[in-house]
């Protein structure tokens, strides 16, 4: 730290007296320990404040300095002291020992705070021994203390006002190691230490006093005796010379002891510095606060002066600033700023009342001199080429004694505000640790502001505070301009040297002076707020430094290499060099087109590298950009008075620049723009004016027009760069617009177009229509001159859209700004012709058409919902309505409308077009569009296209995510979206039109490939040739059109080789062609969808009919078979059930016989047999083998065919209703609408028919149609013309009333019978056993058989074996060999006991009967079922293993399968108890239910009784 005498308000002053001349010995040691660190000030009226560092400025005592030259060279000090002072490094001038001063103390000013007084006074004392101290030093100390004792410690009564300059005092005893007065080696070590520490042994007769330390004597003399007294004495060790260091080591004084004593002494000194300085500061603050409260309470007393109050309160703020409490100081100045404005308002009110206050001067003296010099230049009285040295800086608070001027009420309002703002800004910059102002020593200011530590520690400036400083600067400059204007006008009105009444442009001169001051002030603020972080960000943020480098447009002069506000190596602010180029504007370094094709540099912060911005960087960049804009506004205002208009304001106002200025932007003979603005003075006059009052940067800008444009663009680019860093996209877009306007003005179309390319969507996104039109206009002109046809057409169309919308809405000036097209918006149609024609003509060279949204050029686009049919041919027409907003008549080659199906998931389309070109005029227009494609269904209007050469206007009604994106178009507004309501069109064919449909083929054979039936009815069309296109609408469906057959019709099949296409010819009118198309599906499905299209040609042209058919492929019925084998015949029971919800009518069901088997079928009732869902039909067929058969017939003719003919009840109902409905419409003369109404009738009817309702129809033979309200007729009839609607509604109501119930005659079917052929296989049974169980003892018929419980019944088991139902694969089966079987009689043990062979093996041959005797023993009384018998073959494995005794369930699978025809199945036998009589008693009151067995008698002989 340099201890200079530079005045600074950012440090405390400490005054010292050095009569011994020792300060130079300790100054280096003291400087390295400053500033003071970690101070804590605790006031009773304020919260605790912490001061990180406090800078101290040590100044010598002025009284002693004045008398230093009067003192004799001799000294009263000892010889030892003189010897030390005579050592190397010390001079005689450094020793000033003199007698007490007799000079009077400086008188304190009556207004506190005007003088900077010390907070602490120090007396540096050096004394070799106590004798010297007593003889001379103590006397000097007493006189110095008496002279410098602060009021708080003085015993005299002094006014408390002395506390404004309160200070403390401190005695510092400096010990100097002395090699000439060193203690001899013979002395003890303690004596040596006393000598080194200044404790000299005394030869006094009182040994106790000789041990007292010299410092203790000083403390005892001057500290006071009270316990609360402050220790004001400290001892430090001076730096040791090499000689002293060697001697101390020689005599035993170690370096460690010296170091400890030195550290303790200096620590004690710094601690007392902190305490005493804060004590003085606390007294001053308390006194200031008390005085401020007192003066503030006297505000309303007459004679109260604001300036005096201001100086008093500012003294408190400066006190805070002096100790580093910058925030408290800034708060004080902010309060003063508010109070100043209140005082100014009060003075203005008194002026209006005619009172004179004299608080402020009417004008500023420096401004008055400048204004007179400028007026002399304008009047050609005196042209001085030297720049004026009297300038008013808003940041210089030390150039004049402002506080004295304020106190004397000799300051103007403008100067007062500038001074107050300068103080606020300096505090803000100090708080932010920003760069120091010019005129200050950079080393000292860097130390004060913490720059040295920040640079070393890597800390950066507080950009948030710097941004706040810039924000305040913008507000101050804009508000101070009006104050400056009043100041200048007042000074010129009272000028005696200049008569402004003779100057017609005096007002412009004043405004020029104001603009000059504004420009200079902005540059000064930018220089003061230039931080390292912002500079680094500029370097990182510019991929090409030519875009944003401040010197890119300034030529190659060395002065231009420094940006405004940069510092040289001496810390002085560099004089601003000219920012103007050294060559003409046309030769400026202009960014290349490929660089300017990246306008994201100007419009988006995404160009900046992905670096972490310092906190507050965006805010600082934005505020600095605002300062640049204020400076640019000042520059452009001066240029406007010279007749030079630039930037966006010149464009939107329709002004042009002379020579290199704006010209007429005429794309179609547009009317002339307004003339150039009035010139108030020439550019050289402005240059002369600015030379007198402004910087070289501003004055040189008016040397020529090119330099003016260069300076304007340079400011704009710098503001653009700052806005990019701040992520202010809208502001950056506005800057880009200004740059583009300048480039356009100088005919640099490539650069201008690159800016306009990004600006157009930018304005569009923000909905700035009035600004968007001029941008698009100039952009289109640039593109046209550059021969970029594609972009020219797109931008021109966009501009035309904006004009058209204003034309329609009647918005001539939506934001108060003049429009670029006043004529096109206000005059008639004759002045609007040709603009779109030029665009269409230019589009002829394009390879692909350009799309434009129709809603931006046309309104009220809609299509009538009713369609119109032709009488002599198929097809239909629609009426398109639109309102053209284009202010001219243009020709269109084609108008197209696309309809998209609603119910079709794949989006079937119908295109309607005009048959010839037509002209579209402004206003309402009707256009008829036609389509030869007739595809029935419900559609929405999806798109409308109008083609003019290669320009296609598109009106898209599809959802937003499906619309094609047009570059630059913005989303539709809410009003536009509301107009886009979904328009539905119901397309239906007339009765005479062609009809086609697909259905299931009526004949189904389960062993063959399935087929569908395609039926094409020609209607009234005489078709010469056509083709049927079939496409699968279901997954896995394959249509074999190559195997298609013509089932019915006179048409001729030409070709069916192409998959899915069947070509035919000669289908006459009113004929039907039926085709059978085989198909396959990969998996079982319930329904398949077939897309059917029929394209055909007649004498009227080519037409198309298409429809989708959903065909149910499920079998409508199911058949279950149960077979019962007998000895010589087979009985099969077929159960037929419906597999759908509709009942079936069976008209025939036959089982066809073959060569091997004969069949006998049952008879069906007449006319048909109904099959319901819950009531299937069962029929039994008898099958017998024919007598003659061959070996081959046994393997190839075991399959029979069952033919079932049926009709579906729902088909019968629909056909009956259709027939009756058509007859009704025919009688009413409305059969033309039959194909429109039929789908709704049948769909609603099928929806109503449930299982229960169909069963009821089948039983009652009646169909309930329903009421008119149950059918959705309104939805269908909405597509009809208004003249047809009432008649048709009335007819339909009559239909529902008259035909509410329709009789269904099932004996007269309305549909063709369907047939299904089902293959029936005869089951293979190799062996059939006929088993009988005959009772031997039974002599009566079977009904009279009676057995007795416990008595055996003899029986015979006979088994008859046959093999005629099986196919014998081996030879042994046909040779009559015997097979081995076993039988098993099974009965429950509680029912029968079996006697004899219950299980036995036997051999059986063809038609051989085997008999086995058995005994049955009944076990209980009642009707008992006879035991069951099971017969099974024995396998070869069982026979080889001799496993006859094993259970049948454990045997292996047999080689033969057999069936048992058990004749006794279901037979019972009556078994009675073996009792002849039984006696019981009946007692209702008994415990056992009232019945008791008394006795019984056993039966003797049942058989004899029988």
């Amino acid at each position: 730290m340099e201890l200079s005498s530079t005045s600074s308000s950012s440090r405390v002053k400490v005054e010292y007296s050095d009569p011994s001349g020792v300060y130079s010995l300790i100054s280096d040691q003291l400087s390295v320990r400053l500033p003071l660190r970690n101070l804590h000030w605790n006031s009773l009226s304020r919260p605790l404040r912490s001061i990180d560092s406090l800078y101290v400025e040590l100044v010598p005592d002025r009284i002693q300095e004045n008398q230093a030259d009067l003192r004799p060279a001799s000294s009263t000090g000892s010889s030892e002291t003189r010897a030390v002072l005579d050592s190397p490094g010390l001079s005689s001038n450094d020793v000033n020992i003199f007698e007490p001063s007799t000079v009077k103390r400086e008188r304190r000013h009556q207004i506190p705070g005007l003088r900077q007084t010390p907070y602490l006074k120090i007396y540096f004392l050096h004394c070799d021994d106590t004798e010297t101290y007593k003889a001379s030093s103590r006397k000097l100390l007493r006189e110095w203390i008496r002279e410098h004792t602060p009021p708080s410690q003085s015993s005299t009564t002094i006014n408390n006002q002395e506390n404004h300059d309160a200070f403390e005092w401190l005695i510092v005893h400096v010990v100097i190691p002395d090699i000439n007065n060193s203690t001899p080696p013979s002395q003890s070590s303690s004596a040596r230490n006393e000598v080194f520490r200044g404790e000299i042994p005394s030869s006094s007769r009182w040994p106790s006093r000789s041990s007292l330390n010299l410092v203790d004597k000083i403390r005892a003399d001057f500290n006071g005796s009270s316990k609360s007294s402050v220790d004001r004495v400290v001892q430090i060790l001076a730096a040791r010379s090499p000689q002293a260091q060697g001697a101390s080591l020689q005599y035993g004084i170690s370096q460690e002891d010296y170091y400890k004593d030195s550290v303790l002494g200096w620590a004690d000194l710094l601690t007392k510095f902190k305490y005493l300085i804060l004590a003085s500061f606390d007294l001053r603050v308390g006194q200031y606060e008390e005085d401020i409260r007192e003066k503030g309470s006297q505000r309303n007393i007459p004679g109260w002066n604001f300036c005096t109050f201001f100086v008093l309160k500012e003294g408190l703020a400066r006190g805070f600033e002096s100790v580093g409490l910058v925030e408290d100081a800034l708060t004080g100045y902010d309060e003063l700023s508010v109070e100043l404005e209140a005082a100014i308002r009060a003075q203005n009110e008194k002026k209006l009342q005619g009172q004179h206050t004299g608080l402020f001067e009417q004008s500023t003296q420096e401004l008055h001199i400048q204004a007179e010099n400028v007026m002399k230049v304008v009047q050609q009285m005196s042209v001085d080429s030297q720049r004026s040295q009297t300038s008013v800086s808003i940041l210089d608070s030390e150039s004049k004694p402002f506080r004295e001027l304020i106190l004397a009420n000799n300051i103007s309002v403008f100067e007062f505000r500038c001074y107050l703002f300068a103080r606020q800004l300096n505090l803000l910059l100090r708080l932010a640790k920003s760069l120091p102002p010019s005129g200050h020593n950079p080393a000292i200011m860097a130390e004060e502001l913490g720059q040295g530590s920040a640079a070393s520690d890597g800390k950066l400036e507080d950009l948030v505070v710097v941004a706040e400083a810039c924000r305040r600067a913008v507000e101050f400059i804009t508000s101070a301009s009006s104050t400056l204007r009043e100041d200048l006008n007042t000074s010129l009105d009272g000028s005696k040297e200049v008569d402004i009444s003779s100057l017609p442009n005096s007002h412009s001169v004043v405004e020029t002076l104001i603009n000059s001051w504004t420009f200079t002030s902005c540059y000064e603020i930018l220089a003061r707020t230039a931080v390292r972080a912002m500079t680094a960000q500029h370097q990182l943020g510019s991929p090409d430094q030519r875009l944003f480098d401040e010197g890119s447009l300034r030529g190659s002069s060395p002065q231009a290499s420094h940006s405004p506000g940069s510092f040289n190596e001496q810390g002085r602010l560099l004089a601003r060099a000219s920012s103007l180029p050294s060559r003409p504007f046309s030769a400026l370094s202009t960014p290349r087109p490929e660089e300017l094709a990246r306008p994201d540099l100007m419009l988006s912060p995404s160009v900046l590298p992905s670096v972490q911005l310092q906190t507050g960087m965006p805010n600082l960049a934005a505020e600095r950009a605002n300062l640049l804009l204020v400076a640019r506004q000042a520059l452009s205002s001066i240029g406007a008075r010279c007749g030079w208009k630039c930037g966006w304001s010149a464009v939107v106002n329709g002004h042009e620049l002379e020579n290199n200025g704006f010209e007429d932007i005429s794309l179609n003979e547009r009317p002339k723009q307004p003339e150039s603005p009035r010139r108030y003075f020439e550019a050289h006059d402005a240059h002369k004016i600015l030379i007198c009052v402004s910087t070289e940067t501003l004055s040189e800008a008016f040397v020529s027009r090119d330099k003016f444009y260069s300076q304007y663009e340079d400011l704009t680019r710098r503001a653009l760069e700052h806005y990019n860093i701040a992520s202010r996209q809208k502001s950056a877009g506005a800057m880009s617009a200004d740059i583009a306007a300048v480039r356009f003005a100088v005919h640099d179309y490539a650069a201008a177009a690159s800016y306009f390319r990004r600006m157009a969507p930018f304005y569009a996104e923000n909905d700035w229509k009035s600004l968007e039109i001029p941008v698009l206009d100039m952009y289109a002109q640039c593109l046209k001159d550059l021969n970029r046809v594609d972009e020219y057409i797109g931008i021109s169309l966009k501009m035309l859209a904006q004009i058209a919308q204003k034309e329609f809405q009647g918005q001539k000036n939506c934001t108060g700004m003049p429009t670029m097209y006043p004529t096109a918006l206000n005059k008639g149609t004759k002045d609007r012709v040709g603009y779109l024609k030029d665009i269409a003509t230019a589009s002829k060279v394009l390879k692909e058409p350009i799309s434009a949204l129709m809603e931006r050029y046309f309104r009220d686009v809609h299509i009538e919902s009713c369609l119109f049919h032709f009488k002599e041919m198929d097809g239909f027409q629609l009426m398109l309505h639109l309102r053209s907003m284009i202010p001219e008549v243009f020709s269109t080659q084609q108008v197209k409308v696309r309809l998209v199906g609603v119910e079709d998931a794949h989006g079937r389309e119908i295109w309607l077009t005009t048959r010839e070109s037509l002209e579209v005029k402004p206003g309402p227009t009707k256009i008829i569009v036609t389509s030869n494609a007739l595809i029935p269904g419900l559609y929405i209007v999806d798109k409308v296209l109008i083609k003019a050469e290669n320009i296609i206007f598109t009106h898209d009604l599809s959802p937003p995510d499906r619309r094609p994106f047009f570059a630059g178009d913005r989303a539709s507004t809410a009003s536009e979206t509301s107009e886009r309501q979904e328009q539905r069109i119901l397309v239906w064919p007339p009765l005479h039109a062609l009809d086609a449909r697909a259905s299931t083929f009526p004949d189904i054979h389960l062993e063959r490939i399935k087929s569908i039936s395609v039926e094409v009815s020609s209607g009234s069309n005489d078709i010469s040739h056509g083709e049927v296109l079939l496409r699968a609408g279901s997954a896995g469906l394959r249509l074999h059109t190559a195997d298609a057959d013509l089932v019915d019709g006179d048409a001729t099949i030409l070709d069916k080789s192409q998959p899915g296409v069947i070509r035919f010819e000669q289908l006459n009118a009113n004929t039907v062609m039926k085709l059978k198309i085989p198909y396959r599906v990969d998996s079982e499905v319930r329904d398949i969808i077939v897309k059917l299209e029929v394209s055909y040609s007649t004498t009227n042209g080519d037409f198309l009919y298409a429809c989708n058919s959903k065909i149910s492929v499920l079998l409508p019925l199911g058949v279950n078979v149960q077979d019962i084998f007998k000895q010589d015949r087979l009985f099969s029971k077929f159960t037929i059930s419906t597999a759908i919800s509709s009942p079936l009518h069976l008209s025939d069901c036959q089982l066809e016989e073959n060569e091997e088997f004969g069949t006998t079928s049952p008879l069906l009732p007449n006319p048909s047999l109904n099959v319901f869902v819950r009531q299937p039909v069962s029929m039994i067929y008898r099958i017998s083998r024919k007598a003659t058969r061959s070996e081959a017939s046994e393997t190839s003719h075991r399959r029979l065919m069952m033919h079932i003919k049926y009709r579906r009840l729902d088909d019968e109902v629909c056909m009956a209703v259709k027939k009756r409905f058509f007859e009704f419409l025919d009688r009413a003369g409305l059969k033309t609408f039959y194909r429109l109404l039929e789908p709704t009738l049948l769909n609603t009817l099928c929806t109503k028919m449930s299982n229960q309702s169909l069963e009821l129809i089948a039983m009652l033979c009646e169909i309930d149609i329903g009421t008119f309200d149950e059918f959705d007729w309104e939805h269908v009839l909405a597509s009809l013309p208004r003249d047809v609607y009432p008649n048709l509604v009335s007819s339909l109501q009559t239909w529902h009333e008259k035909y509410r119930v329709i009789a269904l005659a099932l004996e007269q079917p309305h549909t063709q019978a369907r047939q299904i052929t089902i293959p029936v296989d005869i089951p293979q049974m190799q062996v059939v056993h006929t088993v009988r169980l005959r009772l031997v003892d039974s002599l009566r018929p079977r009904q009279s058989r009676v057995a007795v419980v416990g008595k055996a019944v003899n029986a015979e088991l006979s088994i008859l074996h046959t093999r005629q139902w099986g196919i014998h694969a081996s030879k042994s089966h046909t040779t009559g060999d015997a097979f081995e079987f076993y039988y098993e009689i099974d009965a429950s043990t509680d029912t029968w006991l079996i006697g004899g062979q219950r299980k036995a093996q036997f051999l059986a041959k063809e038609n051989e009967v085997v008999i086995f005797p058995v005994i049955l023993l009944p076990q209980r009384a009642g009707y008992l079922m006879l035991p069951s018998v099971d017969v099974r073959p024995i396998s070869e494995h069982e026979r080889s293993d001799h496993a006859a005794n094993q259970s049948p369930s454990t045997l292996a699978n047999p080689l033969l399968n057999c069936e048992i025809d058990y004749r006794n199945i279901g037979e019972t036998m009556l078994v009675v108890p073996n009792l002849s009589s039984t006696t019981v008693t009946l007692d209702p009151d008994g415990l056992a239910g009232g019945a008791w067995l008394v006795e019984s008698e056993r039966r003797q002989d049942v058989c004899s009784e029988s």
Side-chain angles (χ1 to χ4, degrees), residues 863-875:
I863 295 179
E864 293 184 4
S865 58
C866 58
L867 51 86
F868 306 94
H869 294 100
F870 299 102
K871 294 183 179 180
E872 299 178 355
M873 63 179 185
D874 294 351

Side-chain angles (χ1 to χ4, degrees), residues 395-419:
L395 299 181
D396 191 359
S397 60
E398 304 293 339
S399 60
K400 297 172 62 176
F402 286 101
R403 305 185 71 198
E404 285 75 4
L405 294 176
I406 293 173
L407 190 60
N409 295 343
N410 192 19
I411 190 172
S412 65
V413 174
F414 178 73
E415 278 188 313
F416 207 142
R417 284 177 171 172
C418 289
Y419 168 74

Side-chain angles (χ1 to χ4, degrees), residues 1115-1118 1136-1147 1168-1177 1205-1214 1249-1261 1304 1306 1311 1314:
L1115 294 177
L1117 52 84
I1136 303 174
S1137 60
T1138 176
I1140 57 178
S1141 59
S1142 174
L1144 302 177
H1145 295 287
L1146 297 181
S1147 58
S1168 60
L1169 183 64
N1170 292 331
V1171 180
F1172 297 98
V1173 176
R1174 292 174 294 181
Q1175 185 179 350
V1177 174
K1205 292 184 178 181
Y1206 66 94
R1207 291 183 177 87
R1208 296 179 51 163
L1209 181 60
D1210 54 352
D1211 291 344
E1212 288 288 326
V1213 172
C1214 292
M1249 289 189 300
S1250 60
N1251 296 340
Q1252 293 78 7
S1253 61
L1254 288 174
E1255 291 177 358
L1256 189 62
I1257 292 173
M1259 291 184 293
L1260 300 179
C1261 296
L1304 179 63
L1306 297 178
T1311 59
R1314 299 175 179 270

Side-chain angles (χ1 to χ4, degrees), residues 18-22 64 67-68 70-78 81-82 85 92-100 123-127 132 136-137 140:
D18 185 20
S20 302
V22 296
Q64 294 182 9
Q67 294 183 356
L70 302 177
R71 299 295 300 157
S74 62
S75 175
T76 60
S78 65
T81 303
R82 288 194 298 272
L85 296 178
S92 60
N93 295 330
D94 296 329
V95 181
N96 296 311
I97 303 175
F98 48 86
E99 295 298 329
Y123 187 91
F124 289 106
L125 172 66
H126 173 71
C127 190
T132 306
S136 61
S137 298
L140 294 176

Side-chain angles (χ1 to χ4, degrees), residues 14-17 58 120-124 144 169-170 172 273:
V14 175
E15 185 180 278
Y16 68 89
S17 296
L58 277 82
L120 176 64
K121 293 186 179 183
I122 304 175
Y123 187 91
F124 289 106
W144 180 84
W169 57 273
L170 179 66
V172 179
F273 265 33

Side-chain angles (χ1 to χ4, degrees), residues 1046-1238:
L1046 180 63
V1047 178
D1048 189 12
D1050 298 334
T1052 304
I1053 303 297
L1054 295 178
D1055 183 22
K1056 54 183 180 179
S1057 59
Q1058 185 178 353
V1061 179
I1062 302 174
R1063 295 183 175 86
F1064 65 93
E1065 65 177 357
Q1066 297 303 324
L1067 182 60
N1068 299 327
N1070 301 320
T1071 57
V1072 177
M1073 177 181 66
K1074 294 183 179 180
L1075 299 175
K1076 178 183 178 182
I1077 312 296
Y1079 74 92
R1080 295 182 185 274
V1081 289
D1082 295 340
S1083 59
E1084 293 294 332
V1085 294
R1086 297 177 58 89
D1087 304 297
I1088 61 173
I1089 297 176
V1090 177
K1091 296 182 178 181
L1092 175 61
E1093 293 184 5
V1094 180
S1095 56
Y1096 53 99
S1097 299
T1098 66
T1099 56
N1100 296 321
D1102 298 331
F1103 302 91
L1104 174 68
Y1105 180 87
C1107 65
N1108 292 348
S1109 299
K1110 186 176 181 180
I1111 305 171
S1112 176
V1113 296
L1114 287 179
L1115 294 177
L1117 52 84
V1119 179
N1120 293 328
V1121 184
Q1122 182 181 0
D1123 298 319
I1124 303 173
F1125 286 92
K1126 297 296 182 181
Q1127 181 69 21
D1128 55 354
R1129 61 184 58 87
L1130 171 64
F1131 292 94
S1132 296
K1133 180 182 179 182
F1134 291 86
T1135 302
I1136 303 174
S1137 60
T1138 176
I1140 57 178
S1141 59
S1142 174
L1144 302 177
H1145 295 287
L1146 297 181
S1147 58
D1148 191 11
C1149 185
Q1150 296 293 330
L1151 186 62
E1152 183 181 358
E1153 64 181 14
N1154 58 14
E1155 297 179 357
E1156 186 176 356
F1157 296 95
T1159 61
T1160 302
S1161 301
L1163 297 178
L1164 295 179
N1166 191 21
S1168 60
L1169 183 64
N1170 292 331
V1171 180
F1172 297 98
V1173 176
R1174 292 174 294 181
Q1175 185 179 350
V1177 174
S1178 297
M1179 291 180 289
I1180 299 178
Y1181 293 83
R1182 186 179 66 184
I1183 304 173
S1184 60
R1185 186 182 292 273
K1186 294 184 178 180
T1188 60
R1189 67 179 186 273
S1190 61
E1191 183 71 18
S1193 64
E1194 292 184 0
T1195 58
S1196 60
H1197 296 87
R1198 296 186 64 86
R1199 175 169 294 180
L1200 305 178
M1201 295 297 172
M1202 187 174 190
H1203 304 284
I1204 302 175
K1205 292 184 178 181
Y1206 66 94
R1207 291 183 177 87
R1208 296 179 51 163
L1209 181 60
D1210 54 352
D1211 291 344
E1212 288 288 326
V1213 172
C1214 292
M1215 189 58 66
V1217 174
K1218 286 171 58 177
K1219 182 179 179 181
R1220 192 63 58 88
F1221 187 65
F1222 180 79
E1223 293 175 354
F1224 172 79
L1225 293 179
D1226 190 13
R1227 290 193 299 269
L1230 300 174
K1231 66 178 182 179
T1232 304
F1233 305 102
Y1234 171 74
R1235 295 182 66 175
L1236 169 64
L1237 304 175
E1238 176 197 2

Side-chain angles (χ1 to χ4, degrees), residues 451-472:
Q451 295 296 324
S453 61
S456 62
D457 299 340
K459 298 180 180 179
L460 299 177
E461 300 88 344
D462 189 348
L463 302 187
V464 177
V465 180
V466 180
E468 173 65 17
C470 294
R471 186 193 65 80
R472 292 193 180 193

Side-chain angles (χ1 to χ4, degrees), residues 1159-1414:
T1159 61
T1160 302
S1161 301
L1163 297 178
L1164 295 179
N1166 191 21
S1168 60
L1169 183 64
N1170 292 331
V1171 180
F1172 297 98
V1173 176
R1174 292 174 294 181
Q1175 185 179 350
V1177 174
S1178 297
M1179 291 180 289
I1180 299 178
Y1181 293 83
R1182 186 179 66 184
I1183 304 173
S1184 60
R1185 186 182 292 273
K1186 294 184 178 180
T1188 60
R1189 67 179 186 273
S1190 61
E1191 183 71 18
S1193 64
E1194 292 184 0
T1195 58
S1196 60
H1197 296 87
R1198 296 186 64 86
R1199 175 169 294 180
L1200 305 178
M1201 295 297 172
M1202 187 174 190
H1203 304 284
I1204 302 175
K1205 292 184 178 181
Y1206 66 94
R1207 291 183 177 87
R1208 296 179 51 163
L1209 181 60
D1210 54 352
D1211 291 344
E1212 288 288 326
V1213 172
C1214 292
M1215 189 58 66
V1217 174
K1218 286 171 58 177
K1219 182 179 179 181
R1220 192 63 58 88
F1221 187 65
F1222 180 79
E1223 293 175 354
F1224 172 79
L1225 293 179
D1226 190 13
R1227 290 193 299 269
L1230 300 174
K1231 66 178 182 179
T1232 304
F1233 305 102
Y1234 171 74
R1235 295 182 66 175
L1236 169 64
L1237 304 175
E1238 176 197 2
T1240 302
L1241 176 66
L1242 297 182
N1243 292 337
T1244 307
L1245 189 62
C1246 293
T1247 304
K1248 293 179 55 179
M1249 289 189 300
S1250 60
N1251 296 340
Q1252 293 78 7
S1253 61
L1254 288 174
E1255 291 177 358
L1256 189 62
I1257 292 173
M1259 291 184 293
L1260 300 179
C1261 296
E1262 290 182 352
I1263 306 172
D1264 185 6
I1265 299 299
T1267 61
F1268 178 85
D1269 296 334
E1270 295 178 4
F1271 289 76
D1272 190 15
W1273 294 119
E1274 294 293 338
H1275 176 71
V1276 179
L1277 300 180
S1279 60
L1280 295 177
R1282 297 182 179 275
D1283 55 345
V1284 180
Y1285 179 83
N1287 185 23
L1288 193 55
V1289 170
S1290 177
S1291 299
L1292 290 175
Q1293 292 175 349
T1294 303
W1295 152 261
H1296 284 281
E1297 293 175 358
K1298 186 176 181 180
Y1299 297 96
R1300 175 65 184 272
V1301 178
I1302 298 177
L1304 179 63
L1306 297 178
E1307 64 278 0
Q1308 297 178 356
H1310 298 83
T1311 59
Q1312 180 184 359
R1314 299 175 179 270
Q1315 178 176 315
I1316 182 172
T1317 301
I1318 304 174
V1320 179
D1321 292 332
I1322 302 298
Q1324 177 185 350
M1325 192 60 61
Q1326 295 178 345
V1327 177
V1328 176
H1329 296 282
T1330 303
V1331 181
R1332 289 185 177 87
L1333 185 62
R1334 186 174 63 85
L1335 301 180
V1336 178
D1337 297 338
S1338 178
L1339 301 179
R1340 294 185 179 184
R1342 183 174 301 176
Q1343 292 79 5
S1344 61
R1345 293 176 183 177
V1346 178
V1348 179
V1349 175
K1351 187 175 182 180
V1353 178
N1354 296 325
E1356 292 181 351
L1357 178 64
S1358 62
I1359 302 176
L1360 175 61
H1361 175 83
T1362 181
R1363 305 176 188 175
Q1364 64 173 342
W1365 297 106
I1367 300 178
H1368 307 292
S1370 63
K1371 184 177 180 181
S1372 60
H1373 294 169
T1374 59
T1375 56
D1377 295 339
F1379 294 136
E1380 189 175 6
F1381 298 89
Y1382 73 91
Y1383 74 87
E1384 182 178 5
I1385 302 174
D1386 185 19
S1388 178
T1389 56
D1390 61 348
T1391 304
W1392 298 96
L1393 293 179
I1394 309 299
Q1397 291 183 338
R1398 182 174 182 176
K1399 179 179 180 181
Q1401 299 181 2
F1402 65 93
L1403 295 175
K1405 297 183 178 180
E1406 180 68 22
N1407 295 326
E1408 180 182 359
V1409 178
V1410 182
I1411 299 176
F1412 300 94
V1414 294

